[in-house]
Amino acid sequence: MNKIAFSVPTYNEENNISIFLDSILNNFDHSKIIICVVDDQSFDETVKIVKKYKDRYDFINIIERIKKSNRTQVYSAYHAGLNFFKNYEDVGVYCQIDSDNMVDIKSIKKSIKILLEDKNIDVVKLSKYHNDSQIDRKFIRKFYSYVYSFICKIFYKSDIKDFSTGIRFYNFKAYKFLINKEKKFASPIGLLDDLLLLIDNKFKIIEVPFILTDREHGQSFISVKESFLCLIELFKCIIINKFFRR
């Protein structure tokens, strides 16, 4: 099992998706990658661009979904992509990653390399609070992330420092566990729910540093309004996992 599967949500990413796909294509052996783009009814040229890549590369796939909510569907999009890989038996690393090019490719490659080489590690996640991370983001986003993680650390005594970053890499065991679990949330707080489930079930998780910059094109999946809504849902998620879920 040595293939690398990428689940990639998109929504109006016409200015980013080509850069992202080219970055993956230029840095990985084409015979060892599978890409599933999950688009939530973009009204720009995103789907058209992805389909051009799909016509050229048979390992690039696209799922077109209907946008059912005014809120971001990025969490369910990640899982739609991950579920797509169920029929592939030769995958060694499952990646959930955004197409906005805010994360450096070196950190992506490093995370994948760790999982391929160390069979004792189940999950690699990027951490904004690693000493070697370089984070260049707007103050409000930094503040939200800090508060989010601070609250989580009050309730969860874990080595995890960053509870908010959703870009993660799973081995087969962690992948199988997550896709078979009931999804309690449709919003991005589902990313926290996944992480708490992995912590509670004693999966080996490590955090790695990365370089994070604000996007140059388009709007983020997570608006300021969405961030505050997730902050409210955060407490519900913690209560469910801490006191009710077994």
Side-chain angles (χ1 to χ4, degrees):
M1 298 200 303
N2 60 354
K3 285 197 173 182
I4 304 162
F6 295 87
S7 174
V8 186
T10 56
Y11 181 65
N12 296 332
E13 295 287 4
E14 64 180 2
N15 294 316
N16 292 310
I17 190 62
S18 292
I19 299 171
F20 172 80
L21 290 174
D22 286 341
S23 179
I24 299 299
L25 293 170
N26 292 335
N27 281 278
F28 293 93
D29 183 339
H30 292 188
S31 67
K32 294 185 177 181
I33 60 175
I34 311 163
I35 300 172
C36 182
V37 175
V38 182
D39 187 83
D40 281 325
Q41 212 169 5
S42 293
F43 52 79
D44 63 2
E45 297 294 305
T46 301
V47 171
K48 184 177 179 179
I49 293 169
V50 174
K51 285 183 174 179
K52 286 183 179 180
Y53 278 85
K54 183 178 183 296
D55 290 341
R56 185 174 179 184
Y57 302 100
D58 61 2
F59 53 83
I60 294 180
N61 308 274
I62 183 168
I63 297 173
E64 296 180 67
R65 308 196 308 171
I66 295 174
K67 187 167 174 57
K68 298 179 180 180
S69 170
N70 290 328
R71 298 183 66 182
T72 177
Q73 299 180 166
V74 63
Y75 171 65
S76 63
Y78 277 140
H79 273 277
L82 292 175
N83 272 282
F84 176 83
F85 303 127
K86 277 184 175 180
N87 295 325
Y88 290 86
E89 298 180 352
D90 52 352
V91 176
V93 178
Y94 300 82
C95 316
Q96 58 182 49
I97 185 167
D98 298 337
S99 59
D100 52 19
N101 305 303
M102 293 170 59
V103 176
D104 63 301
I105 190 66
K106 288 183 179 180
S107 298
I108 295 171
K109 293 175 71 175
K110 178 181 179 180
S111 299
I112 292 170
K113 186 173 185 287
I114 290 171
L115 274 183
L116 289 174
E117 293 182 351
D118 192 336
K119 302 306 179 184
N120 294 316
I121 295 174
D122 301 307
V123 181
V124 176
K125 63 180 297 297
L126 305 185
S127 172
K128 294 186 290 294
Y129 305 117
H130 192 287
N131 290 336
D132 295 326
S133 289
Q134 299 176 40
I135 309 302
D136 181 16
R137 304 209 70 188
K138 293 182 176 64
F139 172 78
I140 188 64
R141 298 299 298 271
K142 288 182 178 180
F143 176 75
Y144 162 75
S145 176
Y146 175 81
V147 171
Y148 186 103
S149 292
F150 179 79
I151 293 170
C152 290
K153 284 186 282 188
I154 291 174
F155 292 93
Y156 272 81
K157 304 305 178 184
S158 167
D159 292 332
I160 300 297
K161 294 183 178 179
D162 187 350
F163 285 80
S164 64
T165 303
I167 298 175
R168 299 168 191 166
F169 308 83
Y170 308 109
N171 67 7
F172 180 74
K173 183 175 74 170
Y175 163 78
K176 200 71 174 177
F177 173 81
L178 283 180
I179 63 171
N180 288 322
K181 283 293 183 181
E182 179 186 3
K183 307 300 181 290
K184 294 288 188 182
F185 299 90
S187 72
I189 208 67
L191 293 167
L192 174 63
D193 193 45
D194 283 353
L195 182 58
L196 297 184
L197 276 169
L198 291 166
I199 292 172
D200 286 341
N201 285 274
K202 310 302 181 185
F203 283 85
K204 177 65 175 177
I205 306 169
I206 68 165
E207 295 184 298
V208 299
F210 70 120
I211 299 172
L212 177 66
T213 57
D214 272 323
R215 59 163 59 221
E216 294 184 12
H217 308 288
Q219 295 183 336
S220 172
F221 283 125
I222 313 296
S223 64
V224 173
K225 178 181 178 182
E226 183 73 55
S227 296
F228 282 109
L229 288 174
C230 285
L231 196 58
I232 295 170
E233 290 180 318
L234 179 150
F235 291 99
K236 179 180 178 181
C237 181
I238 290 175
I239 290 170
I240 289 174
N241 282 278
K242 193 72 175 177
F243 302 108
F244 294 101
R245 183 178 262 161
R246 295 291 182 265

